[in-house]
Amino acid sequence: MPDETLTIRDNRTGREYEVPIVDGTIRASDLRQIKVSQDDFGLMSYDPAFLNTASCRSAITFIDGDRGILRYRGYPIEQVAEHAGFLETAYLLLEGELPTREQLAAWEEEVRTHTYVHTNVVKFMEGFRHDAHPMGMLLGAIGALSTFYPDAKNIADPESRRLQRVRLIAKFPTIAAFIFRHSRGLPYVFPRNDLDYIGNFVNMTFEIGGRHEPNPVLQRALEILLILHADHEQNCSTNAVRGVGSSHVDPFSAVSAGIAALYGPLHGGANEAVLRMLDEIGSVENVPRFIEQVKAGHGRLMGFGHRVYKSYDPRAKLIKQVADRVFEQTGLNPKLEIALELERIALEDEYFVSRKLYPNVDFYSGLIYQAMGYPTDYFTVLFALGRLPGWIAQWEEMLGDPEQKIARPRQVYVGPAEREFVPIERR
Ligand code: ACO
């Protein structure tokens, strides 16, 4: 028994139990010994939506939601966003350490040589309706990659896992850019391997007639946004990747489950929802009325609130700085004024203050994406592109964790007790 323990007294039986406390947690399975009789199943913990349950031990990302701290592999997000590139951040998340110059060059080269997709990917992309939602296309297309790489099933083989990791990171921007072009009815632009990761992606989305003038300020801004999204420990989509991956399916399928989770408006879809909300509000004068409606329970202030941050989301702070640099280049997004007024009022209003509701990463990111020329329904694709290294790192960590098994929660059954089947003529 470790030094720290918890004594539990079961008032049903009068018996006492001592369970170990490790890293500030008790094991839910230690509760199973607490029974009222020999054939009792044993005590379970009940925690819908995992409000107070750690599902894994992880060495990737640290968050202190009360103090607004986010670190990747120990490095503060502010420093990573200032100094690192996106592929460098991906390397850090995946390998656990910052790469040396040589390691980074080799990693970038490896990614560069896998950017092309099978031409049949182009064919099935063409099958999507012209107005298909980009996230629907993304989750279909990434899931379909598993059919192009059946070797991805060999998840026990570290070499195979490594190859799929490179394929995912390299091909994701290509597919994301095809989706962008598909929505606009433009011909697909293929990867240019003389460009870097971000430059290539931007070129594949915006090049027209063989021409695109890259704007280094906007490209670095996009890179910072992707870095800020790269991992966020056990959020809804990462939990989906881990949960689905725990069945030992290939990583393309597991990542497409993450994309599906991210699609929802309470998660990655919030950046899209923020822009729609700003459109609905229309002008600064309407902000107080809108806030009153939210407080009265009609809708939510999208881009506000977070399950773990109960102070200002550190990513939102950094994104505000990025916004200033972007708007210097593109001119002010008129909706920014509405967003700033919403934030100003919400940060002073008792309803939001008492519930510790602050702007999250999605509150300002949509405004920046829009200024860069991305349509609203495409924002979450950019989020997914950023989150990809985190999903893969978490998937690999889960596979390498000897304590992990197929994810299979328990339930508290509250349906009818056993009853006799009623034939259809008697119902
Ligand atoms: N606007 C108004 N009220 C809110 C908001 C909001 N955005 N968020 C939470 N609340 C209120 C709830 O109504 C509740 O009030 P009550 O105690 O009077 O019932 C209280 O604050 C607690 O809210 P919960 O829903 O219990 O908080 P939870 O941790 O489950 O939800 C979530 C977190 C989903 C992010 C929520 O804050 C929300 O819906 N925000 C808007 C959507 C959004 O921006 N999502 C992006 C999250 S960041 C990301 O995924 C990248």
Side-chain angles (χ1 to χ4, degrees):
M1 202 52 85
D3 296 346
E4 295 189 4
T5 61
L6 175 74
T7 301
I8 303 169
R9 183 185 155 80
D10 185 346
N11 292 326
R12 298 170 302 177
T13 59
R15 260 184 248 135
E16 280 198 356
Y17 304 82
E18 194 180 2
V19 296
I21 299 176
V22 178
D23 294 331
T25 58
I26 59 160
R27 283 186 181 254
S29 53
D30 281 344
L31 301 176
R32 286 280 294 281
Q33 58 182 310
I34 305 176
K35 299 180 176 202
V36 281
S37 63
Q38 216 35 31
D39 56 356
D40 180 4
F41 181 79
L43 206 64
M44 285 195 296
S45 61
Y46 174 60
D47 189 10
F50 298 116
L51 289 178
N52 195 36
T53 295
S55 62
C56 62
R57 300 168 71 83
S58 180
I60 301 173
T61 289
F62 172 80
I63 301 177
D64 181 332
D66 291 327
R67 291 193 292 154
I69 294 174
L70 168 62
R71 296 184 200 130
Y72 293 163
R73 301 282 189 186
Y75 295 105
I77 188 64
E78 293 78 5
Q79 294 177 22
V80 179
E82 186 179 346
H83 301 295
F86 180 67
L87 282 185
E88 196 179 350
T89 307
Y91 186 102
L92 171 68
L93 291 169
L94 292 161
E95 300 289 347
E97 294 298 336
L98 287 166
T100 62
R101 212 181 282 281
E102 292 71 35
Q103 285 168 329
L104 180 60
W107 166 234
E108 287 173 345
E109 186 54 25
E110 216 181 345
V111 169
R112 196 173 289 128
T113 51
H114 284 271
T115 49
Y116 267 67
V117 289
H118 194 289
T119 46
N120 283 2
V121 171
V122 174
K123 287 195 194 139
F124 80 73
M125 293 286 308
E126 282 164 357
F128 286 116
R129 276 174 58 124
H130 70 281
D131 58 354
H133 194 285
M135 282 300 278
M137 290 195 266
L138 185 68
L139 81 91
I142 296 297
L145 283 186
S146 69
T147 65
F148 290 87
Y149 304 110
D151 57 317
K153 279 193 204 65
N154 304 328
I155 56 152
D157 173 5
E159 259 323 294
S160 171
R161 283 206 306 274
R162 206 187 132 64
L163 178 59
Q164 313 321 325
R165 171 206 279 196
V166 176
R167 282 175 171 156
L168 265 165
I169 290 191
K171 295 178 200 308
F172 206 104
T174 311
I175 289 176
F178 284 2
I179 289 168
F180 181 87
R181 311 283 295 194
H182 181 87
S183 299
R184 305 195 144 192
L186 289 168
Y188 301 152
V189 173
F190 287 87
R192 263 186 49 192
N193 290 348
D194 58 319
L195 298 175
D196 64 17
Y197 192 79
I198 303 291
N200 180 44
F201 171 66
V202 173
N203 188 68
M204 287 189 290
T205 45
F206 291 119
E207 188 218 88
I208 297 280
R211 294 178 62 161
H212 169 66
E213 262 328 301
N215 178 327
V217 177
L218 295 190
Q219 289 199 6
R220 179 61 190 153
L222 179 61
E223 182 161 43
I224 293 174
L225 287 182
L226 298 186
I227 292 170
L228 296 179
H229 285 88
D231 193 51
H232 211 236
E233 50 117 307
Q234 307 312 314
N235 55 86
C236 177
S237 57
T238 301
N239 185 50
V241 172
R242 278 182 174 257
V244 170
S246 77
S247 75
H248 288 183
V249 72
D250 67 88
F252 299 103
S253 304
V255 164
S256 71
I259 297 169
L262 193 71
Y263 193 173
L266 295 189
H267 190 12
N271 51 19
E272 188 181 330
V274 170
L275 262 278
R276 297 199 198 291
M277 174 186 77
L278 296 177
D279 279 337
E280 189 192 316
I281 296 172
S283 70
V284 176
E285 302 80 70
N286 298 333
V287 168
R289 190 154 36 106
F290 181 80
I291 295 262
E292 286 313 310
Q293 279 171 8
V294 169
K295 285 162 59 179
H298 306 300
R300 291 197 158 192
L301 180 49
M302 299 312 286
F304 257 70
H306 199 276
R307 174 59 61 79
V308 294
Y309 289 120
K310 300 301 169 198
S311 70
Y312 214 100
D313 182 337
R315 301 166 302 170
K317 250 186 226 159
L318 294 164
I319 284 183
K320 258 180 114 171
Q321 295 163 13
V322 173
D324 291 340
R325 270 175 261 154
V326 168
F327 296 140
E328 257 171 41
Q329 301 281 314
T330 62
L332 219 56
N333 186 331
K335 290 179 199 121
L336 178 67
E337 224 192 324
I338 305 175
L340 288 169
E341 182 63 1
L342 275 174
E343 181 184 341
R344 191 189 66 74
I345 298 187
L347 291 183
E348 288 172 357
D349 190 294
E350 204 279 325
Y351 175 95
F352 297 90
V353 173
S354 64
R355 289 169 178 78
K356 300 190 175 164
L357 300 170
Y358 293 88
N360 60 48
V361 68
D362 281 329
F363 193 62
Y364 288 105
S365 63
L367 289 169
I368 303 177
Y369 294 142
Q370 190 171 62
M372 287 174 171
Y374 293 103
T376 311
D377 62 3
Y378 192 73
F379 297 167
T380 316
V381 173
L382 297 167
F383 188 156
L385 177 60
R387 182 56 52 87
L388 180 65
W391 286 335
I392 305 172
Q394 299 271 353
W395 170 75
E396 293 211 58
E397 187 178 65
M398 180 267 305
L399 288 178
D401 181 346
E403 286 202 309
Q404 291 292 340
K405 292 168 179 269
I406 187 164
R408 204 311 187 176
R410 295 275 174 186
Q411 65 165 10
V412 178
Y413 178 71
V414 293
E418 185 179 351
R419 47 185 174 160
E420 203 62 34
F421 182 82
V422 183
I424 197 157
E425 59 280 5
R426 283 208 274 118
R427 284 176 221 161

PDB file of all heavy atoms in Angstrom, residues 386-414:
ATOM      1  N   GLY A 386      -4.584  21.425 -37.657  1.00  0.00           N
ATOM      2  CA  GLY A 386      -3.739  21.737 -36.506  1.00  0.00           C
ATOM      3  C   GLY A 386      -3.729  20.608 -35.484  1.00  0.00           C
ATOM      4  O   GLY A 386      -2.684  20.264 -34.942  1.00  0.00           O
ATOM      5  N   ARG A 387      -4.884  20.010 -35.212  1.00  0.00           N
ATOM      6  CA  ARG A 387      -5.000  19.021 -34.128  1.00  0.00           C
ATOM      7  C   ARG A 387      -4.406  17.657 -34.495  1.00  0.00           C
ATOM      8  O   ARG A 387      -4.150  16.820 -33.615  1.00  0.00           O
ATOM      9  CB  ARG A 387      -6.487  18.892 -33.743  1.00  0.00           C
ATOM     10  CG  ARG A 387      -6.848  17.951 -32.612  1.00  0.00           C
ATOM     11  CD  ARG A 387      -6.124  18.227 -31.303  1.00  0.00           C
ATOM     12  NE  ARG A 387      -6.193  19.598 -30.799  1.00  0.00           N
ATOM     13  CZ  ARG A 387      -7.173  20.090 -30.020  1.00  0.00           C
ATOM     14  NH1 ARG A 387      -8.153  19.311 -29.647  1.00  0.00           N
ATOM     15  NH2 ARG A 387      -7.146  21.342 -29.598  1.00  0.00           N
ATOM     16  N   LEU A 388      -4.174  17.440 -35.790  1.00  0.00           N
ATOM     17  CA  LEU A 388      -3.743  16.116 -36.251  1.00  0.00           C
ATOM     18  C   LEU A 388      -2.534  15.549 -35.492  1.00  0.00           C
ATOM     19  O   LEU A 388      -2.580  14.392 -35.049  1.00  0.00           O
ATOM     20  CB  LEU A 388      -3.469  16.178 -37.768  1.00  0.00           C
ATOM     21  CG  LEU A 388      -3.001  14.880 -38.396  1.00  0.00           C
ATOM     22  CD1 LEU A 388      -4.078  13.806 -38.331  1.00  0.00           C
ATOM     23  CD2 LEU A 388      -2.598  15.126 -39.858  1.00  0.00           C
ATOM     24  N   PRO A 389      -1.427  16.313 -35.309  1.00  0.00           N
ATOM     25  CA  PRO A 389      -0.291  15.718 -34.594  1.00  0.00           C
ATOM     26  C   PRO A 389      -0.667  15.262 -33.185  1.00  0.00           C
ATOM     27  O   PRO A 389      -0.193  14.225 -32.718  1.00  0.00           O
ATOM     28  CB  PRO A 389       0.740  16.849 -34.534  1.00  0.00           C
ATOM     29  CG  PRO A 389       0.311  17.852 -35.536  1.00  0.00           C
ATOM     30  CD  PRO A 389      -1.154  17.704 -35.746  1.00  0.00           C
ATOM     31  N   GLY A 390      -1.528  16.032 -32.534  1.00  0.00           N
ATOM     32  CA  GLY A 390      -1.969  15.651 -31.188  1.00  0.00           C
ATOM     33  C   GLY A 390      -2.728  14.341 -31.215  1.00  0.00           C
ATOM     34  O   GLY A 390      -2.497  13.438 -30.399  1.00  0.00           O
ATOM     35  N   TRP A 391      -3.646  14.211 -32.159  1.00  0.00           N
ATOM     36  CA  TRP A 391      -4.418  12.957 -32.257  1.00  0.00           C
ATOM     37  C   TRP A 391      -3.481  11.764 -32.438  1.00  0.00           C
ATOM     38  O   TRP A 391      -3.648  10.734 -31.793  1.00  0.00           O
ATOM     39  CB  TRP A 391      -5.386  13.019 -33.447  1.00  0.00           C
ATOM     40  CG  TRP A 391      -6.588  13.892 -33.242  1.00  0.00           C
ATOM     41  CD1 TRP A 391      -7.178  14.241 -32.055  1.00  0.00           C
ATOM     42  CD2 TRP A 391      -7.369  14.508 -34.270  1.00  0.00           C
ATOM     43  NE1 TRP A 391      -8.278  15.035 -32.297  1.00  0.00           N
ATOM     44  CE2 TRP A 391      -8.423  15.211 -33.635  1.00  0.00           C
ATOM     45  CE3 TRP A 391      -7.287  14.541 -35.662  1.00  0.00           C
ATOM     46  CZ2 TRP A 391      -9.373  15.938 -34.349  1.00  0.00           C
ATOM     47  CZ3 TRP A 391      -8.243  15.259 -36.365  1.00  0.00           C
ATOM     48  CH2 TRP A 391      -9.276  15.954 -35.727  1.00  0.00           C
ATOM     49  N   ILE A 392      -2.495  11.933 -33.334  1.00  0.00           N
ATOM     50  CA  ILE A 392      -1.608  10.786 -33.613  1.00  0.00           C
ATOM     51  C   ILE A 392      -0.740  10.482 -32.391  1.00  0.00           C
ATOM     52  O   ILE A 392      -0.546   9.319 -32.028  1.00  0.00           O
ATOM     53  CB  ILE A 392      -0.711  11.057 -34.848  1.00  0.00           C
ATOM     54  CG1 ILE A 392      -1.564  11.431 -36.061  1.00  0.00           C
ATOM     55  CG2 ILE A 392       0.130   9.833 -35.175  1.00  0.00           C
ATOM     56  CD1 ILE A 392      -0.753  11.903 -37.266  1.00  0.00           C
ATOM     57  N   ALA A 393      -0.219  11.544 -31.757  1.00  0.00           N
ATOM     58  CA  ALA A 393       0.625  11.320 -30.571  1.00  0.00           C
ATOM     59  C   ALA A 393      -0.175  10.601 -29.476  1.00  0.00           C
ATOM     60  O   ALA A 393       0.313   9.671 -28.831  1.00  0.00           O
ATOM     61  CB  ALA A 393       1.159  12.661 -30.057  1.00  0.00           C
ATOM     62  N   GLN A 394      -1.422  11.014 -29.289  1.00  0.00           N
ATOM     63  CA  GLN A 394      -2.259  10.412 -28.246  1.00  0.00           C
ATOM     64  C   GLN A 394      -2.618   8.969 -28.604  1.00  0.00           C
ATOM     65  O   GLN A 394      -2.680   8.093 -27.733  1.00  0.00           O
ATOM     66  CB  GLN A 394      -3.547  11.233 -28.065  1.00  0.00           C
ATOM     67  CG  GLN A 394      -3.315  12.671 -27.638  1.00  0.00           C
ATOM     68  CD  GLN A 394      -3.267  12.863 -26.138  1.00  0.00           C
ATOM     69  OE1 GLN A 394      -3.525  11.951 -25.360  1.00  0.00           O
ATOM     70  NE2 GLN A 394      -2.915  14.065 -25.714  1.00  0.00           N
ATOM     71  N   TRP A 395      -2.864   8.729 -29.880  1.00  0.00           N
ATOM     72  CA  TRP A 395      -3.177   7.371 -30.348  1.00  0.00           C
ATOM     73  C   TRP A 395      -1.989   6.437 -30.071  1.00  0.00           C
ATOM     74  O   TRP A 395      -2.151   5.337 -29.545  1.00  0.00           O
ATOM     75  CB  TRP A 395      -3.515   7.434 -31.850  1.00  0.00           C
ATOM     76  CG  TRP A 395      -3.617   6.113 -32.529  1.00  0.00           C
ATOM     77  CD1 TRP A 395      -4.639   5.202 -32.429  1.00  0.00           C
ATOM     78  CD2 TRP A 395      -2.664   5.538 -33.439  1.00  0.00           C
ATOM     79  NE1 TRP A 395      -4.380   4.108 -33.217  1.00  0.00           N
ATOM     80  CE2 TRP A 395      -3.183   4.298 -33.845  1.00  0.00           C
ATOM     81  CE3 TRP A 395      -1.440   5.958 -33.956  1.00  0.00           C
ATOM     82  CZ2 TRP A 395      -2.505   3.456 -34.745  1.00  0.00           C
ATOM     83  CZ3 TRP A 395      -0.775   5.135 -34.858  1.00  0.00           C
ATOM     84  CH2 TRP A 395      -1.298   3.900 -35.241  1.00  0.00           C
ATOM     85  N   GLU A 396      -0.771   6.924 -30.410  1.00  0.00           N
ATOM     86  CA  GLU A 396       0.409   6.081 -30.206  1.00  0.00           C
ATOM     87  C   GLU A 396       0.682   5.866 -28.717  1.00  0.00           C
ATOM     88  O   GLU A 396       1.062   4.779 -28.301  1.00  0.00           O
ATOM     89  CB  GLU A 396       1.634   6.710 -30.877  1.00  0.00           C
ATOM     90  CG  GLU A 396       1.485   6.717 -32.376  1.00  0.00           C
ATOM     91  CD  GLU A 396       2.825   6.605 -33.103  1.00  0.00           C
ATOM     92  OE1 GLU A 396       3.560   5.622 -32.896  1.00  0.00           O
ATOM     93  OE2 GLU A 396       3.127   7.514 -33.866  1.00  0.00           O
ATOM     94  N   GLU A 397       0.465   6.904 -27.932  1.00  0.00           N
ATOM     95  CA  GLU A 397       0.673   6.761 -26.492  1.00  0.00           C
ATOM     96  C   GLU A 397      -0.295   5.720 -25.924  1.00  0.00           C
ATOM     97  O   GLU A 397       0.082   4.882 -25.097  1.00  0.00           O
ATOM     98  CB  GLU A 397       0.466   8.115 -25.798  1.00  0.00           C
ATOM     99  CG  GLU A 397       0.831   8.087 -24.323  1.00  0.00           C
ATOM    100  CD  GLU A 397       0.668   9.454 -23.647  1.00  0.00           C
ATOM    101  OE1 GLU A 397      -0.476   9.949 -23.555  1.00  0.00           O
ATOM    102  OE2 GLU A 397       1.669  10.031 -23.225  1.00  0.00           O
ATOM    103  N   MET A 398      -1.540   5.766 -26.408  1.00  0.00           N
ATOM    104  CA  MET A 398      -2.549   4.814 -25.939  1.00  0.00           C
ATOM    105  C   MET A 398      -2.133   3.378 -26.288  1.00  0.00           C
ATOM    106  O   MET A 398      -2.196   2.476 -25.452  1.00  0.00           O
ATOM    107  CB  MET A 398      -3.893   5.179 -26.595  1.00  0.00           C
ATOM    108  CG  MET A 398      -5.077   4.330 -26.252  1.00  0.00           C
ATOM    109  SD  MET A 398      -5.363   2.966 -27.378  1.00  0.00           S
ATOM    110  CE  MET A 398      -5.458   3.735 -28.954  1.00  0.00           C
ATOM    111  N   LEU A 399      -1.633   3.195 -27.532  1.00  0.00           N
ATOM    112  CA  LEU A 399      -1.257   1.840 -27.943  1.00  0.00           C
ATOM    113  C   LEU A 399      -0.071   1.317 -27.132  1.00  0.00           C
ATOM    114  O   LEU A 399       0.028   0.111 -26.879  1.00  0.00           O
ATOM    115  CB  LEU A 399      -0.887   1.818 -29.432  1.00  0.00           C
ATOM    116  CG  LEU A 399      -2.055   1.975 -30.414  1.00  0.00           C
ATOM    117  CD1 LEU A 399      -1.540   1.995 -31.843  1.00  0.00           C
ATOM    118  CD2 LEU A 399      -3.086   0.872 -30.242  1.00  0.00           C
ATOM    119  N   GLY A 400       0.815   2.226 -26.743  1.00  0.00           N
ATOM    120  CA  GLY A 400       2.012   1.804 -26.020  1.00  0.00           C
ATOM    121  C   GLY A 400       1.795   1.677 -24.515  1.00  0.00           C
ATOM    122  O   GLY A 400       2.706   1.302 -23.783  1.00  0.00           O
ATOM    123  N   ASP A 401       0.610   1.990 -24.046  1.00  0.00           N
ATOM    124  CA  ASP A 401       0.338   1.993 -22.607  1.00  0.00           C
ATOM    125  C   ASP A 401      -0.165   0.605 -22.188  1.00  0.00           C
ATOM    126  O   ASP A 401      -1.267   0.194 -22.569  1.00  0.00           O
ATOM    127  CB  ASP A 401      -0.725   3.072 -22.315  1.00  0.00           C
ATOM    128  CG  ASP A 401      -1.066   3.178 -20.839  1.00  0.00           C
ATOM    129  OD1 ASP A 401      -0.703   2.262 -20.070  1.00  0.00           O
ATOM    130  OD2 ASP A 401      -1.706   4.174 -20.464  1.00  0.00           O
ATOM    131  N   PRO A 402       0.640  -0.133 -21.406  1.00  0.00           N
ATOM    132  CA  PRO A 402       0.239  -1.505 -21.066  1.00  0.00           C
ATOM    133  C   PRO A 402      -1.059  -1.568 -20.266  1.00  0.00           C
ATOM    134  O   PRO A 402      -1.687  -2.625 -20.194  1.00  0.00           O
ATOM    135  CB  PRO A 402       1.418  -2.038 -20.246  1.00  0.00           C
ATOM    136  CG  PRO A 402       2.201  -0.835 -19.832  1.00  0.00           C
ATOM    137  CD  PRO A 402       1.911   0.249 -20.804  1.00  0.00           C
ATOM    138  N   GLU A 403      -1.464  -0.443 -19.672  1.00  0.00           N
ATOM    139  CA  GLU A 403      -2.711  -0.463 -18.880  1.00  0.00           C
ATOM    140  C   GLU A 403      -3.959  -0.281 -19.730  1.00  0.00           C
ATOM    141  O   GLU A 403      -5.069  -0.465 -19.244  1.00  0.00           O
ATOM    142  CB  GLU A 403      -2.672   0.663 -17.844  1.00  0.00           C
ATOM    143  CG  GLU A 403      -1.750   0.367 -16.695  1.00  0.00           C
ATOM    144  CD  GLU A 403      -2.134   1.209 -15.494  1.00  0.00           C
ATOM    145  OE1 GLU A 403      -2.266   2.434 -15.641  1.00  0.00           O
ATOM    146  OE2 GLU A 403      -2.291   0.627 -14.421  1.00  0.00           O
ATOM    147  N   GLN A 404      -3.775   0.151 -20.984  1.00  0.00           N
ATOM    148  CA  GLN A 404      -4.965   0.424 -21.812  1.00  0.00           C
ATOM    149  C   GLN A 404      -5.513  -0.856 -22.425  1.00  0.00           C
ATOM    150  O   GLN A 404      -4.760  -1.749 -22.793  1.00  0.00           O
ATOM    151  CB  GLN A 404      -4.622   1.433 -22.919  1.00  0.00           C
ATOM    152  CG  GLN A 404      -4.351   2.831 -22.413  1.00  0.00           C
ATOM    153  CD  GLN A 404      -5.592   3.534 -21.844  1.00  0.00           C
ATOM    154  OE1 GLN A 404      -6.726   3.169 -22.137  1.00  0.00           O
ATOM    155  NE2 GLN A 404      -5.363   4.537 -21.022  1.00  0.00           N
ATOM    156  N   LYS A 405      -6.819  -0.914 -22.508  1.00  0.00           N
ATOM    157  CA  LYS A 405      -7.520  -2.021 -23.156  1.00  0.00           C
ATOM    158  C   LYS A 405      -8.579  -1.390 -24.033  1.00  0.00           C
ATOM    159  O   LYS A 405      -8.710  -0.176 -24.050  1.00  0.00           O
ATOM    160  CB  LYS A 405      -8.254  -2.864 -22.112  1.00  0.00           C
ATOM    161  CG  LYS A 405      -7.395  -3.648 -21.172  1.00  0.00           C
ATOM    162  CD  LYS A 405      -8.304  -4.158 -20.050  1.00  0.00           C
ATOM    163  CE  LYS A 405      -7.532  -4.994 -19.055  1.00  0.00           C
ATOM    164  NZ  LYS A 405      -7.510  -6.405 -19.359  1.00  0.00           N
ATOM    165  N   ILE A 406      -9.392  -2.202 -24.679  1.00  0.00           N
ATOM    166  CA  ILE A 406     -10.492  -1.620 -25.459  1.00  0.00           C
ATOM    167  C   ILE A 406     -11.363  -0.777 -24.509  1.00  0.00           C
ATOM    168  O   ILE A 406     -11.695  -1.210 -23.409  1.00  0.00           O
ATOM    169  CB  ILE A 406     -11.303  -2.710 -26.188  1.00  0.00           C
ATOM    170  CG1 ILE A 406     -12.329  -2.060 -27.118  1.00  0.00           C
ATOM    171  CG2 ILE A 406     -11.969  -3.673 -25.231  1.00  0.00           C
ATOM    172  CD1 ILE A 406     -12.910  -3.006 -28.163  1.00  0.00           C
ATOM    173  N   ALA A 407     -11.671   0.466 -24.965  1.00  0.00           N
ATOM    174  CA  ALA A 407     -12.437   1.380 -24.106  1.00  0.00           C
ATOM    175  C   ALA A 407     -13.886   0.926 -24.067  1.00  0.00           C
ATOM    176  O   ALA A 407     -14.541   0.800 -25.102  1.00  0.00           O
ATOM    177  CB  ALA A 407     -12.352   2.809 -24.649  1.00  0.00           C
ATOM    178  N   ARG A 408     -14.363   0.669 -22.880  1.00  0.00           N
ATOM    179  CA  ARG A 408     -15.695   0.078 -22.768  1.00  0.00           C
ATOM    180  C   ARG A 408     -16.267   0.504 -21.426  1.00  0.00           C
ATOM    181  O   ARG A 408     -16.051  -0.171 -20.413  1.00  0.00           O
ATOM    182  CB  ARG A 408     -15.510  -1.442 -22.851  1.00  0.00           C
ATOM    183  CG  ARG A 408     -16.678  -2.303 -23.307  1.00  0.00           C
ATOM    184  CD  ARG A 408     -17.915  -1.984 -22.616  1.00  0.00           C
ATOM    185  NE  ARG A 408     -19.007  -2.881 -22.910  1.00  0.00           N
ATOM    186  CZ  ARG A 408     -20.172  -2.792 -22.317  1.00  0.00           C
ATOM    187  NH1 ARG A 408     -20.380  -1.848 -21.416  1.00  0.00           N
ATOM    188  NH2 ARG A 408     -21.145  -3.621 -22.617  1.00  0.00           N
ATOM    189  N   PRO A 409     -16.995   1.656 -21.418  1.00  0.00           N
ATOM    190  CA  PRO A 409     -17.525   2.106 -20.128  1.00  0.00           C
ATOM    191  C   PRO A 409     -18.622   1.185 -19.605  1.00  0.00           C
ATOM    192  O   PRO A 409     -19.193   0.397 -20.358  1.00  0.00           O
ATOM    193  CB  PRO A 409     -18.102   3.492 -20.436  1.00  0.00           C
ATOM    194  CG  PRO A 409     -18.014   3.692 -21.895  1.00  0.00           C
ATOM    195  CD  PRO A 409     -17.353   2.524 -22.533  1.00  0.00           C
ATOM    196  N   ARG A 410     -18.880   1.298 -18.323  1.00  0.00           N
ATOM    197  CA  ARG A 410     -20.025   0.603 -17.715  1.00  0.00           C
ATOM    198  C   ARG A 410     -21.240   1.511 -17.807  1.00  0.00           C
ATOM    199  O   ARG A 410     -21.123   2.686 -18.169  1.00  0.00           O
ATOM    200  CB  ARG A 410     -19.734   0.328 -16.239  1.00  0.00           C
ATOM    201  CG  ARG A 410     -18.594  -0.628 -16.026  1.00  0.00           C
ATOM    202  CD  ARG A 410     -19.110  -2.034 -16.095  1.00  0.00           C
ATOM    203  NE  ARG A 410     -18.017  -2.993 -16.045  1.00  0.00           N
ATOM    204  CZ  ARG A 410     -18.187  -4.286 -16.211  1.00  0.00           C
ATOM    205  NH1 ARG A 410     -19.395  -4.775 -16.450  1.00  0.00           N
ATOM    206  NH2 ARG A 410     -17.171  -5.104 -16.137  1.00  0.00           N
ATOM    207  N   GLN A 411     -22.404   1.025 -17.436  1.00  0.00           N
ATOM    208  CA  GLN A 411     -23.604   1.852 -17.379  1.00  0.00           C
ATOM    209  C   GLN A 411     -24.381   1.524 -16.116  1.00  0.00           C
ATOM    210  O   GLN A 411     -24.154   0.490 -15.497  1.00  0.00           O
ATOM    211  CB  GLN A 411     -24.504   1.573 -18.588  1.00  0.00           C
ATOM    212  CG  GLN A 411     -25.037   0.156 -18.588  1.00  0.00           C
ATOM    213  CD  GLN A 411     -26.200  -0.049 -19.561  1.00  0.00           C
ATOM    214  OE1 GLN A 411     -26.512   0.800 -20.388  1.00  0.00           O
ATOM    215  NE2 GLN A 411     -26.858  -1.193 -19.456  1.00  0.00           N
ATOM    216  N   VAL A 412     -25.277   2.428 -15.775  1.00  0.00           N
ATOM    217  CA  VAL A 412     -26.246   2.130 -14.716  1.00  0.00           C
ATOM    218  C   VAL A 412     -27.552   1.870 -15.448  1.00  0.00           C
ATOM    219  O   VAL A 412     -28.114   2.779 -16.068  1.00  0.00           O
ATOM    220  CB  VAL A 412     -26.392   3.331 -13.744  1.00  0.00           C
ATOM    221  CG1 VAL A 412     -27.437   3.037 -12.692  1.00  0.00           C
ATOM    222  CG2 VAL A 412     -25.046   3.662 -13.112  1.00  0.00           C
ATOM    223  N   TYR A 413     -27.999   0.632 -15.450  1.00  0.00           N
ATOM    224  CA  TYR A 413     -29.218   0.292 -16.205  1.00  0.00           C
ATOM    225  C   TYR A 413     -30.450   0.808 -15.469  1.00  0.00           C
ATOM    226  O   TYR A 413     -30.628   0.526 -14.275  1.00  0.00           O
ATOM    227  CB  TYR A 413     -29.302  -1.230 -16.384  1.00  0.00           C
ATOM    228  CG  TYR A 413     -30.565  -1.662 -17.109  1.00  0.00           C
ATOM    229  CD1 TYR A 413     -30.729  -1.406 -18.471  1.00  0.00           C
ATOM    230  CD2 TYR A 413     -31.613  -2.294 -16.429  1.00  0.00           C
ATOM    231  CE1 TYR A 413     -31.889  -1.782 -19.133  1.00  0.00           C
ATOM    232  CE2 TYR A 413     -32.773  -2.668 -17.088  1.00  0.00           C
ATOM    233  CZ  TYR A 413     -32.911  -2.408 -18.440  1.00  0.00           C
ATOM    234  OH  TYR A 413     -34.057  -2.768 -19.097  1.00  0.00           O
ATOM    235  N   VAL A 414     -31.283   1.584 -16.195  1.00  0.00           N
ATOM    236  CA  VAL A 414     -32.484   2.132 -15.547  1.00  0.00           C
ATOM    237  C   VAL A 414     -33.757   1.761 -16.327  1.00  0.00           C
ATOM    238  O   VAL A 414     -34.819   2.333 -16.110  1.00  0.00           O
ATOM    239  CB  VAL A 414     -32.399   3.683 -15.397  1.00  0.00           C
ATOM    240  CG1 VAL A 414     -31.308   4.075 -14.415  1.00  0.00           C
ATOM    241  CG2 VAL A 414     -32.173   4.356 -16.746  1.00  0.00           C
TER     242      VAL A 414
END
